[in-house]
Amino acid sequence: MNNELYSTEAAKELVLATTPSDAKPLDALVSKLADYVECQKSIEFWQKRLNRLKDELAEAMGDAEVGTVNGEAVLFYQTQNRFRTTDFAKKYPDFYRLYSRDFTEKKFDPSWLKDERPDLYAQFQVRAMRNTFDA
């Protein structure tokens, strides 16, 4: 094979040869495709906004389990059986090493920490925010 660039004709033949034969023209659906792309962009925008709002609400709630409006619970945290191992390892590297077990590879065992030091486990237990507020 030589190092010369493909000619225009060779490039066209390559495109034709590599284009799937079962391709379906969507010329009549251009507006739907445009809406589809716009929706994808909107999802990204709204997901970023949702994450910002969630972070602001989480910061305002702090360690509280329930957030209220006019005395009525509208947000609450539900403790999950998951643990933020990476954050724990950064903050307490000695405890991370102490409560790590040797398997084929060394792996942190949060259930062991939970049994031995529930106070440390609780600080890094994953919480999920659920919405009960109807606007």
Side-chain angles (χ1 to χ4, degrees), residues 18-112:
T18 58
T19 301
S21 59
D22 62 344
K24 180 163 184 151
L26 299 176
D27 299 339
L29 300 173
V30 170
S31 65
K32 288 193 185 298
L33 288 169
D35 286 348
Y36 177 79
V37 170
E38 187 61 32
C39 286
Q40 284 182 316
K41 290 178 183 175
S42 293
I43 288 171
E44 293 171 15
F45 170 82
W46 289 110
Q47 188 63 53
K48 286 178 185 175
R49 180 152 189 234
L50 177 65
N51 290 338
R52 279 194 310 270
L53 291 169
K54 185 177 178 181
D55 290 345
E56 289 174 19
L57 290 167
E59 185 177 335
M61 283 183 67
D63 290 336
E65 293 292 321
V66 179
T68 63
V69 172
N70 296 325
E72 185 176 332
V74 293
L75 289 177
F76 66 95
Y77 276 110
Q78 180 178 13
T79 303
Q80 298 183 340
N81 195 19
R82 294 187 317 170
F83 187 77
R84 297 187 336 262
T85 304
T86 303
D87 294 339
F88 179 79
K90 288 178 184 175
K91 188 165 184 177
Y92 297 104
D94 293 334
F95 281 117
Y96 177 82
R97 283 190 293 281
L98 178 65
Y99 290 100
S100 295
R101 293 186 182 178
D102 286 328
F103 296 97
T104 307
E105 62 189 276
K106 192 165 191 146
K107 184 177 178 183
F108 178 73
D109 185 358
S111 62
W112 188 22

